[in-house]
Amino acid sequence: LVSAYSQRRRGSLRADGSGIISGIINNGSIYGHMLSLNPNDVLACPTPMYHCSGLVTGLLTAITHGAAVVFPSQFFDPLAVIHSVQSERCTSILAVPTMWVAFLQHLKPGWDFSGVKTGISGGSSVPRPLMEDIQKKLKVKDVIIIYGQ
């Protein structure tokens, strides 16, 4: 399966089409800076690769900063993500708000998210109570909202 993502904005295309690629890579680089990613980090990316979230915010964010990226399952499975966070020692998680809710619903005593220092959320707004639960119950210190605030 090969997926392609094309970001187009008025005036962003050069004659050779390179405006699309440089814009996508730049977005990944910006997100990586926001997360302070480095080669010691591991990003959990449960969002699909055919969407800009998985491709840009997941894969390219990790690549542009030398971090590893983990794709827990082919389709979203909160238990697979939780298992990956623990077994792969993920330091950052990318998820939309409904995924964060699913992590909280499936989390059991003894499961540990304490190694996760940052997260990214997008797609819709993150209500204050959800943000507080992510920080208190999952112990994710900093969650960056990149869309939908």
Side-chain angles (χ1 to χ4, degrees), residues 96-146:
V96 297
T98 53
M99 291 177 172
W100 290 107
V101 169
F103 302 151
L104 288 160
Q105 290 174 339
H106 288 85
L107 196 64
K108 294 187 174 149
W111 287 1
D112 186 17
F113 268 60
S114 64
V116 180
K117 60 182 182 175
T118 59
I120 297 179
S121 191
S124 65
S125 61
V126 180
R128 181 180 296 269
L130 176 57
M131 184 65 82
E132 290 170 352
D133 283 348
I134 292 168
Q135 292 174 331
K136 290 178 185 170
K137 295 177 182 176
L138 298 179
K139 297 181 177 45
V140 179
K141 300 163 192 70
D142 295 311
V143 178
I144 298 163
I145 302 170
I146 58 172

mmCIF file of all heavy atoms in Angstrom, residues 96-146:
data_model
loop_
_atom_site.group_PDB
_atom_site.id
_atom_site.type_symbol
_atom_site.label_atom_id
_atom_site.label_comp_id
_atom_site.label_asym_id
_atom_site.label_seq_id
_atom_site.Cartn_x
_atom_site.Cartn_y
_atom_site.Cartn_z
ATOM 1 N N VAL A 96 -5.782 12.082 18.348
ATOM 2 C CA VAL A 96 -6.911 13.008 18.337
ATOM 3 C C VAL A 96 -7.638 12.848 19.670
ATOM 4 O O VAL A 96 -7.428 11.857 20.385
ATOM 5 C CB VAL A 96 -7.854 12.737 17.136
ATOM 6 C CG1 VAL A 96 -7.120 12.968 15.818
ATOM 7 C CG2 VAL A 96 -8.449 11.346 17.198
ATOM 8 N N PRO A 97 -8.491 13.806 20.053
ATOM 9 C CA PRO A 97 -9.136 13.732 21.366
ATOM 10 C C PRO A 97 -9.857 12.413 21.667
ATOM 11 O O PRO A 97 -9.772 11.904 22.791
ATOM 12 C CB PRO A 97 -10.103 14.919 21.342
ATOM 13 C CG PRO A 97 -9.413 15.915 20.468
ATOM 14 C CD PRO A 97 -8.775 15.094 19.387
ATOM 15 N N THR A 98 -10.543 11.837 20.687
ATOM 16 C CA THR A 98 -11.246 10.575 20.961
ATOM 17 C C THR A 98 -10.270 9.441 21.275
ATOM 18 O O THR A 98 -10.603 8.529 22.034
ATOM 19 C CB THR A 98 -12.153 10.170 19.784
ATOM 20 O OG1 THR A 98 -11.383 10.165 18.578
ATOM 21 C CG2 THR A 98 -13.327 11.117 19.644
ATOM 22 N N MET A 99 -9.065 9.504 20.725
ATOM 23 C CA MET A 99 -8.051 8.497 21.062
ATOM 24 C C MET A 99 -7.585 8.671 22.502
ATOM 25 O O MET A 99 -7.415 7.691 23.231
ATOM 26 C CB MET A 99 -6.866 8.589 20.103
ATOM 27 C CG MET A 99 -7.174 8.157 18.706
ATOM 28 S SD MET A 99 -5.723 8.389 17.643
ATOM 29 C CE MET A 99 -6.275 7.584 16.157
ATOM 30 N N TRP A 100 -7.365 9.924 22.915
ATOM 31 C CA TRP A 100 -6.966 10.169 24.311
ATOM 32 C C TRP A 100 -8.033 9.635 25.263
ATOM 33 O O TRP A 100 -7.722 9.039 26.293
ATOM 34 C CB TRP A 100 -6.729 11.662 24.552
ATOM 35 C CG TRP A 100 -5.512 12.215 23.883
ATOM 36 C CD1 TRP A 100 -5.486 13.030 22.788
ATOM 37 C CD2 TRP A 100 -4.139 12.018 24.250
ATOM 38 N NE1 TRP A 100 -4.181 13.346 22.460
ATOM 39 C CE2 TRP A 100 -3.345 12.734 23.343
ATOM 40 C CE3 TRP A 100 -3.516 11.296 25.269
ATOM 41 C CZ2 TRP A 100 -1.967 12.763 23.414
ATOM 42 C CZ3 TRP A 100 -2.135 11.311 25.343
ATOM 43 C CH2 TRP A 100 -1.371 12.034 24.426
ATOM 44 N N VAL A 101 -9.311 9.848 24.923
ATOM 45 C CA VAL A 101 -10.408 9.330 25.745
ATOM 46 C C VAL A 101 -10.329 7.814 25.813
ATOM 47 O O VAL A 101 -10.473 7.214 26.889
ATOM 48 C CB VAL A 101 -11.779 9.797 25.193
ATOM 49 C CG1 VAL A 101 -12.921 9.059 25.880
ATOM 50 C CG2 VAL A 101 -11.937 11.307 25.354
ATOM 51 N N ALA A 102 -10.079 7.165 24.693
ATOM 52 C CA ALA A 102 -9.973 5.696 24.672
ATOM 53 C C ALA A 102 -8.808 5.210 25.531
ATOM 54 O O ALA A 102 -8.937 4.203 26.239
ATOM 55 C CB ALA A 102 -9.814 5.201 23.233
ATOM 56 N N PHE A 103 -7.677 5.908 25.506
ATOM 57 C CA PHE A 103 -6.557 5.513 26.365
ATOM 58 C C PHE A 103 -6.977 5.571 27.826
ATOM 59 O O PHE A 103 -6.698 4.654 28.600
ATOM 60 C CB PHE A 103 -5.339 6.427 26.169
ATOM 61 C CG PHE A 103 -4.803 6.499 24.768
ATOM 62 C CD1 PHE A 103 -4.177 7.648 24.329
ATOM 63 C CD2 PHE A 103 -4.914 5.438 23.887
ATOM 64 C CE1 PHE A 103 -3.668 7.750 23.047
ATOM 65 C CE2 PHE A 103 -4.413 5.515 22.594
ATOM 66 C CZ PHE A 103 -3.790 6.673 22.179
ATOM 67 N N LEU A 104 -7.643 6.647 28.191
ATOM 68 C CA LEU A 104 -8.091 6.814 29.584
ATOM 69 C C LEU A 104 -9.096 5.736 29.971
ATOM 70 O O LEU A 104 -9.059 5.222 31.095
ATOM 71 C CB LEU A 104 -8.694 8.205 29.780
ATOM 72 C CG LEU A 104 -7.685 9.348 29.768
ATOM 73 C CD1 LEU A 104 -8.373 10.673 29.488
ATOM 74 C CD2 LEU A 104 -6.922 9.396 31.086
ATOM 75 N N GLN A 105 -9.990 5.364 29.060
ATOM 76 C CA GLN A 105 -11.001 4.343 29.347
ATOM 77 C C GLN A 105 -10.395 2.953 29.499
ATOM 78 O O GLN A 105 -10.921 2.127 30.238
ATOM 79 C CB GLN A 105 -12.063 4.319 28.245
ATOM 80 C CG GLN A 105 -12.949 5.535 28.245
ATOM 81 C CD GLN A 105 -13.895 5.562 27.048
ATOM 82 O OE1 GLN A 105 -13.672 4.909 26.028
ATOM 83 N NE2 GLN A 105 -14.962 6.344 27.177
ATOM 84 N N HIS A 106 -9.309 2.675 28.799
ATOM 85 C CA HIS A 106 -8.707 1.347 28.815
ATOM 86 C C HIS A 106 -7.552 1.203 29.796
ATOM 87 O O HIS A 106 -7.076 0.090 30.041
ATOM 88 C CB HIS A 106 -8.228 0.957 27.413
ATOM 89 C CG HIS A 106 -9.350 0.642 26.485
ATOM 90 N ND1 HIS A 106 -10.018 1.616 25.780
ATOM 91 C CD2 HIS A 106 -9.932 -0.527 26.161
ATOM 92 C CE1 HIS A 106 -10.968 1.047 25.057
ATOM 93 N NE2 HIS A 106 -10.935 -0.250 25.269
ATOM 94 N N LEU A 107 -7.092 2.297 30.347
ATOM 95 C CA LEU A 107 -5.940 2.262 31.237
ATOM 96 C C LEU A 107 -6.275 1.491 32.509
ATOM 97 O O LEU A 107 -7.311 1.718 33.125
ATOM 98 C CB LEU A 107 -5.510 3.691 31.585
ATOM 99 C CG LEU A 107 -4.130 3.844 32.190
ATOM 100 C CD1 LEU A 107 -3.053 3.415 31.196
ATOM 101 C CD2 LEU A 107 -3.902 5.284 32.612
ATOM 102 N N LYS A 108 -5.398 0.581 32.875
ATOM 103 C CA LYS A 108 -5.597 -0.233 34.082
ATOM 104 C C LYS A 108 -4.500 0.074 35.081
ATOM 105 O O LYS A 108 -3.413 0.521 34.703
ATOM 106 C CB LYS A 108 -5.587 -1.710 33.712
ATOM 107 C CG LYS A 108 -6.756 -2.089 32.847
ATOM 108 C CD LYS A 108 -6.830 -3.568 32.617
ATOM 109 C CE LYS A 108 -8.118 -3.833 31.869
ATOM 110 N NZ LYS A 108 -8.112 -4.919 31.000
ATOM 111 N N PRO A 109 -4.778 -0.161 36.365
ATOM 112 C CA PRO A 109 -3.737 0.065 37.376
ATOM 113 C C PRO A 109 -2.463 -0.694 37.026
ATOM 114 O O PRO A 109 -2.501 -1.839 36.576
ATOM 115 C CB PRO A 109 -4.371 -0.478 38.653
ATOM 116 C CG PRO A 109 -5.844 -0.401 38.419
ATOM 117 C CD PRO A 109 -6.021 -0.649 36.940
ATOM 118 N N GLY A 110 -1.344 -0.031 37.200
ATOM 119 C CA GLY A 110 -0.058 -0.654 36.900
ATOM 120 C C GLY A 110 0.453 -0.349 35.504
ATOM 121 O O GLY A 110 1.625 -0.567 35.219
ATOM 122 N N TRP A 111 -0.436 0.091 34.604
ATOM 123 C CA TRP A 111 0.027 0.472 33.280
ATOM 124 C C TRP A 111 0.636 1.849 33.376
ATOM 125 O O TRP A 111 0.071 2.747 33.991
ATOM 126 C CB TRP A 111 -1.112 0.434 32.275
ATOM 127 C CG TRP A 111 -1.521 -0.976 31.921
ATOM 128 C CD1 TRP A 111 -0.988 -2.126 32.429
ATOM 129 C CD2 TRP A 111 -2.534 -1.362 31.023
ATOM 130 N NE1 TRP A 111 -1.609 -3.211 31.890
ATOM 131 C CE2 TRP A 111 -2.574 -2.774 31.018
ATOM 132 C CE3 TRP A 111 -3.413 -0.682 30.223
ATOM 133 C CZ2 TRP A 111 -3.447 -3.496 30.236
ATOM 134 C CZ3 TRP A 111 -4.295 -1.407 29.442
ATOM 135 C CH2 TRP A 111 -4.309 -2.792 29.443
ATOM 136 N N ASP A 112 1.769 2.027 32.753
ATOM 137 C CA ASP A 112 2.581 3.203 33.010
ATOM 138 C C ASP A 112 2.810 4.051 31.769
ATOM 139 O O ASP A 112 3.363 3.580 30.787
ATOM 140 C CB ASP A 112 3.921 2.736 33.585
ATOM 141 C CG ASP A 112 4.794 3.870 34.036
ATOM 142 O OD1 ASP A 112 4.280 5.000 34.218
ATOM 143 O OD2 ASP A 112 5.992 3.637 34.213
ATOM 144 N N PHE A 113 2.384 5.288 31.823
ATOM 145 C CA PHE A 113 2.630 6.265 30.772
ATOM 146 C C PHE A 113 3.679 7.275 31.209
ATOM 147 O O PHE A 113 3.898 8.268 30.535
ATOM 148 C CB PHE A 113 1.341 7.030 30.449
ATOM 149 C CG PHE A 113 0.507 6.456 29.337
ATOM 150 C CD1 PHE A 113 0.004 5.176 29.414
ATOM 151 C CD2 PHE A 113 0.214 7.213 28.228
ATOM 152 C CE1 PHE A 113 -0.775 4.656 28.405
ATOM 153 C CE2 PHE A 113 -0.573 6.702 27.197
ATOM 154 C CZ PHE A 113 -1.069 5.418 27.290
ATOM 155 N N SER A 114 4.316 7.041 32.338
ATOM 156 C CA SER A 114 5.186 8.069 32.927
ATOM 157 C C SER A 114 6.388 8.437 32.053
ATOM 158 O O SER A 114 6.954 9.507 32.222
ATOM 159 C CB SER A 114 5.654 7.635 34.312
ATOM 160 O OG SER A 114 6.458 6.476 34.222
ATOM 161 N N GLY A 115 6.779 7.586 31.121
ATOM 162 C CA GLY A 115 7.890 7.911 30.227
ATOM 163 C C GLY A 115 7.497 8.866 29.117
ATOM 164 O O GLY A 115 8.343 9.399 28.407
ATOM 165 N N VAL A 116 6.191 9.098 28.954
ATOM 166 C CA VAL A 116 5.699 9.987 27.910
ATOM 167 C C VAL A 116 5.783 11.419 28.421
ATOM 168 O O VAL A 116 5.100 11.798 29.354
ATOM 169 C CB VAL A 116 4.250 9.645 27.510
ATOM 170 C CG1 VAL A 116 3.758 10.594 26.429
ATOM 171 C CG2 VAL A 116 4.150 8.204 27.043
ATOM 172 N N LYS A 117 6.645 12.193 27.794
ATOM 173 C CA LYS A 117 6.827 13.579 28.243
ATOM 174 C C LYS A 117 5.978 14.566 27.466
ATOM 175 O O LYS A 117 5.609 15.616 27.974
ATOM 176 C CB LYS A 117 8.296 13.970 28.169
ATOM 177 C CG LYS A 117 8.889 13.890 26.771
ATOM 178 C CD LYS A 117 10.351 14.239 26.720
ATOM 179 C CE LYS A 117 10.836 14.177 25.287
ATOM 180 N NZ LYS A 117 12.183 14.599 25.114
ATOM 181 N N THR A 118 5.648 14.241 26.200
ATOM 182 C CA THR A 118 4.872 15.153 25.375
ATOM 183 C C THR A 118 3.835 14.412 24.542
ATOM 184 O O THR A 118 3.944 13.205 24.323
ATOM 185 C CB THR A 118 5.778 15.939 24.394
ATOM 186 O OG1 THR A 118 6.470 15.009 23.564
ATOM 187 C CG2 THR A 118 6.762 16.830 25.125
ATOM 188 N N GLY A 119 2.859 15.165 24.086
ATOM 189 C CA GLY A 119 1.848 14.628 23.195
ATOM 190 C C GLY A 119 1.377 15.703 22.246
ATOM 191 O O GLY A 119 1.575 16.895 22.483
ATOM 192 N N ILE A 120 0.766 15.262 21.172
ATOM 193 C CA ILE A 120 0.152 16.173 20.209
ATOM 194 C C ILE A 120 -1.295 15.747 20.081
ATOM 195 O O ILE A 120 -1.591 14.556 20.003
ATOM 196 C CB ILE A 120 0.813 16.077 18.821
ATOM 197 C CG1 ILE A 120 2.267 16.489 18.863
ATOM 198 C CG2 ILE A 120 0.058 16.928 17.817
ATOM 199 C CD1 ILE A 120 2.958 16.380 17.508
ATOM 200 N N SER A 121 -2.186 16.730 20.046
ATOM 201 C CA SER A 121 -3.585 16.433 19.777
ATOM 202 C C SER A 121 -4.071 17.387 18.701
ATOM 203 O O SER A 121 -3.604 18.514 18.597
ATOM 204 C CB SER A 121 -4.431 16.577 21.040
ATOM 205 O OG SER A 121 -5.725 16.042 20.809
ATOM 206 N N GLY A 122 -5.004 16.930 17.918
ATOM 207 C CA GLY A 122 -5.559 17.757 16.860
ATOM 208 C C GLY A 122 -6.828 17.140 16.326
ATOM 209 O O GLY A 122 -7.281 16.109 16.813
ATOM 210 N N GLY A 123 -7.401 17.772 15.337
ATOM 211 C CA GLY A 123 -8.618 17.270 14.715
ATOM 212 C C GLY A 123 -9.874 17.917 15.261
ATOM 213 O O GLY A 123 -10.846 18.105 14.552
ATOM 214 N N SER A 124 -9.871 18.216 16.538
ATOM 215 C CA SER A 124 -10.971 18.945 17.173
ATOM 216 C C SER A 124 -10.435 19.513 18.482
ATOM 217 O O SER A 124 -9.315 19.218 18.889
ATOM 218 C CB SER A 124 -12.173 18.029 17.428
ATOM 219 O OG SER A 124 -11.860 17.026 18.356
ATOM 220 N N SER A 125 -11.262 20.304 19.123
ATOM 221 C CA SER A 125 -10.801 20.937 20.361
ATOM 222 C C SER A 125 -10.631 19.897 21.470
ATOM 223 O O SER A 125 -11.232 18.827 21.441
ATOM 224 C CB SER A 125 -11.776 22.025 20.795
ATOM 225 O OG SER A 125 -13.046 21.465 21.033
ATOM 226 N N VAL A 126 -9.792 20.239 22.420
ATOM 227 C CA VAL A 126 -9.554 19.376 23.578
ATOM 228 C C VAL A 126 -10.159 20.085 24.789
ATOM 229 O O VAL A 126 -9.624 21.094 25.237
ATOM 230 C CB VAL A 126 -8.048 19.126 23.800
ATOM 231 C CG1 VAL A 126 -7.835 18.226 25.003
ATOM 232 C CG2 VAL A 126 -7.413 18.528 22.566
ATOM 233 N N PRO A 127 -11.268 19.564 25.310
ATOM 234 C CA PRO A 127 -11.878 20.213 26.469
ATOM 235 C C PRO A 127 -10.936 20.210 27.677
ATOM 236 O O PRO A 127 -10.133 19.288 27.848
ATOM 237 C CB PRO A 127 -13.113 19.361 26.761
ATOM 238 C CG PRO A 127 -13.344 18.549 25.530
ATOM 239 C CD PRO A 127 -12.009 18.403 24.858
ATOM 240 N N ARG A 128 -11.043 21.233 28.499
ATOM 241 C CA ARG A 128 -10.181 21.360 29.674
ATOM 242 C C ARG A 128 -10.185 20.098 30.548
ATOM 243 O O ARG A 128 -9.123 19.628 30.945
ATOM 244 C CB ARG A 128 -10.569 22.586 30.499
ATOM 245 C CG ARG A 128 -9.680 22.772 31.715
ATOM 246 C CD ARG A 128 -10.060 23.982 32.526
ATOM 247 N NE ARG A 128 -9.869 25.210 31.794
ATOM 248 C CZ ARG A 128 -8.745 25.923 31.814
ATOM 249 N NH1 ARG A 128 -7.734 25.528 32.553
ATOM 250 N NH2 ARG A 128 -8.645 27.025 31.109
ATOM 251 N N PRO A 129 -11.357 19.497 30.856
ATOM 252 C CA PRO A 129 -11.332 18.280 31.689
ATOM 253 C C PRO A 129 -10.524 17.136 31.064
ATOM 254 O O PRO A 129 -9.841 16.401 31.764
ATOM 255 C CB PRO A 129 -12.802 17.904 31.835
ATOM 256 C CG PRO A 129 -13.554 19.177 31.600
ATOM 257 C CD PRO A 129 -12.736 19.938 30.600
ATOM 258 N N LEU A 130 -10.598 16.997 29.736
ATOM 259 C CA LEU A 130 -9.812 15.960 29.066
ATOM 260 C C LEU A 130 -8.321 16.267 29.178
ATOM 261 O O LEU A 130 -7.520 15.378 29.483
ATOM 262 C CB LEU A 130 -10.224 15.820 27.594
ATOM 263 C CG LEU A 130 -9.405 14.829 26.767
ATOM 264 C CD1 LEU A 130 -9.440 13.427 27.376
ATOM 265 C CD2 LEU A 130 -9.917 14.808 25.320
ATOM 266 N N MET A 131 -7.947 17.507 28.964
ATOM 267 C CA MET A 131 -6.535 17.894 29.082
ATOM 268 C C MET A 131 -6.030 17.617 30.500
ATOM 269 O O MET A 131 -4.931 17.094 30.687
ATOM 270 C CB MET A 131 -6.355 19.364 28.728
ATOM 271 C CG MET A 131 -4.916 19.820 28.743
ATOM 272 S SD MET A 131 -3.886 19.046 27.478
ATOM 273 C CE MET A 131 -4.281 20.071 26.084
ATOM 274 N N GLU A 132 -6.838 17.928 31.493
ATOM 275 C CA GLU A 132 -6.445 17.679 32.884
ATOM 276 C C GLU A 132 -6.285 16.182 33.151
ATOM 277 O O GLU A 132 -5.349 15.766 33.826
ATOM 278 C CB GLU A 132 -7.455 18.311 33.834
ATOM 279 C CG GLU A 132 -7.404 19.829 33.823
ATOM 280 C CD GLU A 132 -8.553 20.489 34.571
ATOM 281 O OE1 GLU A 132 -9.502 19.783 34.998
ATOM 282 O OE2 GLU A 132 -8.512 21.729 34.712
ATOM 283 N N ASP A 133 -7.202 15.359 32.602
ATOM 284 C CA ASP A 133 -7.082 13.900 32.773
ATOM 285 C C ASP A 133 -5.835 13.352 32.087
ATOM 286 O O ASP A 133 -5.172 12.459 32.618
ATOM 287 C CB ASP A 133 -8.324 13.194 32.221
ATOM 288 C CG ASP A 133 -9.527 13.297 33.139
ATOM 289 O OD1 ASP A 133 -9.355 13.709 34.314
ATOM 290 O OD2 ASP A 133 -10.640 12.964 32.686
ATOM 291 N N ILE A 134 -5.524 13.864 30.901
ATOM 292 C CA ILE A 134 -4.312 13.422 30.196
ATOM 293 C C ILE A 134 -3.085 13.715 31.052
ATOM 294 O O ILE A 134 -2.202 12.875 31.204
ATOM 295 C CB ILE A 134 -4.198 14.118 28.820
ATOM 296 C CG1 ILE A 134 -5.297 13.628 27.872
ATOM 297 C CG2 ILE A 134 -2.817 13.887 28.205
ATOM 298 C CD1 ILE A 134 -5.438 14.451 26.607
ATOM 299 N N GLN A 135 -3.058 14.897 31.647
ATOM 300 C CA GLN A 135 -1.902 15.288 32.448
ATOM 301 C C GLN A 135 -1.857 14.576 33.798
ATOM 302 O O GLN A 135 -0.787 14.194 34.259
ATOM 303 C CB GLN A 135 -1.887 16.807 32.628
ATOM 304 C CG GLN A 135 -1.609 17.512 31.320
ATOM 305 C CD GLN A 135 -1.715 19.023 31.414
ATOM 306 O OE1 GLN A 135 -2.464 19.559 32.208
ATOM 307 N NE2 GLN A 135 -0.951 19.706 30.569
ATOM 308 N N LYS A 136 -2.999 14.376 34.439
ATOM 309 C CA LYS A 136 -3.018 13.766 35.772
ATOM 310 C C LYS A 136 -3.009 12.240 35.731
ATOM 311 O O LYS A 136 -2.225 11.606 36.419
ATOM 312 C CB LYS A 136 -4.235 14.251 36.562
ATOM 313 C CG LYS A 136 -4.137 15.704 36.974
ATOM 314 C CD LYS A 136 -5.392 16.146 37.699
ATOM 315 C CE LYS A 136 -5.333 17.632 37.989
ATOM 316 N NZ LYS A 136 -6.626 18.132 38.467
ATOM 317 N N LYS A 137 -3.897 11.651 34.931
ATOM 318 C CA LYS A 137 -4.046 10.195 34.927
ATOM 319 C C LYS A 137 -3.012 9.497 34.042
ATOM 320 O O LYS A 137 -2.525 8.424 34.380
ATOM 321 C CB LYS A 137 -5.457 9.808 34.517
ATOM 322 C CG LYS A 137 -6.501 10.268 35.527
ATOM 323 C CD LYS A 137 -7.892 9.931 35.070
ATOM 324 C CE LYS A 137 -8.916 10.438 36.085
ATOM 325 N NZ LYS A 137 -10.279 10.213 35.620
ATOM 326 N N LEU A 138 -2.715 10.090 32.888
ATOM 327 C CA LEU A 138 -1.713 9.494 32.001
ATOM 328 C C LEU A 138 -0.317 10.036 32.284
ATOM 329 O O LEU A 138 0.662 9.499 31.797
ATOM 330 C CB LEU A 138 -2.083 9.738 30.530
ATOM 331 C CG LEU A 138 -3.391 9.128 30.040
ATOM 332 C CD1 LEU A 138 -3.627 9.485 28.577
ATOM 333 C CD2 LEU A 138 -3.401 7.625 30.233
ATOM 334 N N LYS A 139 -0.245 11.120 33.020
ATOM 335 C CA LYS A 139 1.016 11.761 33.398
ATOM 336 C C LYS A 139 1.814 12.282 32.192
ATOM 337 O O LYS A 139 3.035 12.327 32.220
ATOM 338 C CB LYS A 139 1.863 10.831 34.256
ATOM 339 C CG LYS A 139 1.194 10.488 35.578
ATOM 340 C CD LYS A 139 2.043 9.586 36.414
ATOM 341 C CE LYS A 139 1.462 9.283 37.756
ATOM 342 N NZ LYS A 139 0.084 8.937 37.875
ATOM 343 N N VAL A 140 1.091 12.666 31.133
ATOM 344 C CA VAL A 140 1.729 13.304 29.983
ATOM 345 C C VAL A 140 1.832 14.789 30.326
ATOM 346 O O VAL A 140 0.832 15.475 30.468
ATOM 347 C CB VAL A 140 0.925 13.094 28.685
ATOM 348 C CG1 VAL A 140 1.596 13.796 27.519
ATOM 349 C CG2 VAL A 140 0.779 11.599 28.399
ATOM 350 N N LYS A 141 3.049 15.245 30.495
ATOM 351 C CA LYS A 141 3.292 16.590 31.031
ATOM 352 C C LYS A 141 2.835 17.710 30.095
ATOM 353 O O LYS A 141 2.175 18.647 30.507
ATOM 354 C CB LYS A 141 4.770 16.751 31.361
ATOM 355 C CG LYS A 141 5.263 15.757 32.400
ATOM 356 C CD LYS A 141 6.795 15.662 32.382
ATOM 357 C CE LYS A 141 7.312 14.507 33.166
ATOM 358 N NZ LYS A 141 7.052 13.206 32.603
ATOM 359 N N ASP A 142 3.209 17.630 28.835
ATOM 360 C CA ASP A 142 2.899 18.693 27.872
ATOM 361 C C ASP A 142 2.171 18.122 26.671
ATOM 362 O O ASP A 142 2.694 17.238 25.989
ATOM 363 C CB ASP A 142 4.182 19.365 27.384
ATOM 364 C CG ASP A 142 4.913 20.099 28.491
ATOM 365 O OD1 ASP A 142 4.252 20.870 29.208
ATOM 366 O OD2 ASP A 142 6.135 19.885 28.646
ATOM 367 N N VAL A 143 0.981 18.640 26.411
ATOM 368 C CA VAL A 143 0.221 18.244 25.233
ATOM 369 C C VAL A 143 0.038 19.501 24.381
ATOM 370 O O VAL A 143 -0.486 20.504 24.851
ATOM 371 C CB VAL A 143 -1.138 17.627 25.587
ATOM 372 C CG1 VAL A 143 -1.910 17.283 24.328
ATOM 373 C CG2 VAL A 143 -0.961 16.398 26.461
ATOM 374 N N ILE A 144 0.473 19.409 23.151
ATOM 375 C CA ILE A 144 0.393 20.529 22.214
ATOM 376 C C ILE A 144 -0.832 20.303 21.328
ATOM 377 O O ILE A 144 -0.996 19.231 20.737
ATOM 378 C CB ILE A 144 1.664 20.601 21.355
ATOM 379 C CG1 ILE A 144 2.867 20.834 22.253
ATOM 380 C CG2 ILE A 144 1.530 21.674 20.290
ATOM 381 C CD1 ILE A 144 4.172 20.530 21.594
ATOM 382 N N ILE A 145 -1.681 21.306 21.258
ATOM 383 C CA ILE A 145 -2.854 21.224 20.390
ATOM 384 C C ILE A 145 -2.492 21.917 19.082
ATOM 385 O O ILE A 145 -2.186 23.113 19.084
ATOM 386 C CB ILE A 145 -4.077 21.892 21.036
ATOM 387 C CG1 ILE A 145 -4.377 21.223 22.369
ATOM 388 C CG2 ILE A 145 -5.281 21.798 20.092
ATOM 389 C CD1 ILE A 145 -5.412 21.945 23.203
ATOM 390 N N ILE A 146 -2.494 21.150 18.000
ATOM 391 C CA ILE A 146 -2.048 21.728 16.737
ATOM 392 C C ILE A 146 -3.193 22.076 15.808
ATOM 393 O O ILE A 146 -2.992 22.674 14.773
ATOM 394 C CB ILE A 146 -1.056 20.799 16.008
ATOM 395 C CG1 ILE A 146 -1.668 19.437 15.727
ATOM 396 C CG2 ILE A 146 0.214 20.674 16.815
ATOM 397 C CD1 ILE A 146 -0.820 18.564 14.847
#
